[in-house]
Amino acid sequence: MADSYYDPKDLRKFGKITEWSEELGTKFFDYYGKVFEEGALSAREKSLIALAVAHVVKCPYCIDAYTKDGLQKGVTKEEMMEAVHVGAAIESGATLVHGVQMMNKYDKLSM
């Protein structure tokens, strides 16, 4: 039995998604590559953003990939953890702000 549902070796197979849908897979990888090129944001900054987002969307493959990418780009462990906390703060804030919806519904139904 596997130790985890997610097999880190599967990340190396990501490029194979084009085998089942060549046109869409190719378009995705072209887009993905373009997004991570240097632009208004540096590749290093984009790597930190990707790491934070990877945690928010809970993608273990992405976490592995962007931890490695960040290390290769000179991102420190402190910067990585700070980025993770930024993502966590946004995610928890988004959850809590939906409490206003619950409060409004409660007030409407309890009148």
Side-chain angles (χ1 to χ4, degrees), residues 4-13 60-61 64:
S4 170
Y5 180 79
Y6 297 99
D7 185 347
K9 291 180 282 195
D10 285 342
L11 182 57
R12 292 190 299 263
K13 299 176 186 174
Y61 302 113
D64 285 357

Side-chain angles (χ1 to χ4, degrees), residues 17-30:
I17 65 165
T18 58
E19 291 176 4
W20 289 18
S21 180
E22 186 173 352
E23 180 185 0
L24 293 176
T26 299
K27 285 180 181 186
F28 168 76
F29 283 117
D30 288 347

Side-chain angles (χ1 to χ4, degrees), residues 23-90:
E23 180 185 0
L24 293 176
T26 299
K27 285 180 181 186
F28 168 76
F29 283 117
D30 288 347
Y31 167 75
Y32 194 87
K34 194 76 172 159
V35 165
F36 282 94
E37 289 178 0
E38 292 276 342
L41 296 171
S42 70
R44 187 179 188 280
E45 291 167 322
K46 291 178 181 188
S47 185
L48 270 171
I49 292 167
L51 183 62
V53 171
H55 281 79
V56 171
V57 300
K58 298 165 183 63
C59 175
Y61 302 113
C62 305
I63 292 167
D64 285 357
Y66 286 99
T67 298
K68 180 180 178 182
D69 188 66
L71 278 169
Q72 292 170 340
K73 289 179 171 55
V75 177
T76 67
K77 64 183 179 185
E78 293 83 7
E79 290 172 314
M80 288 184 189
M81 186 55 74
E82 190 168 330
V84 170
H85 278 284
V86 169
I90 295 300

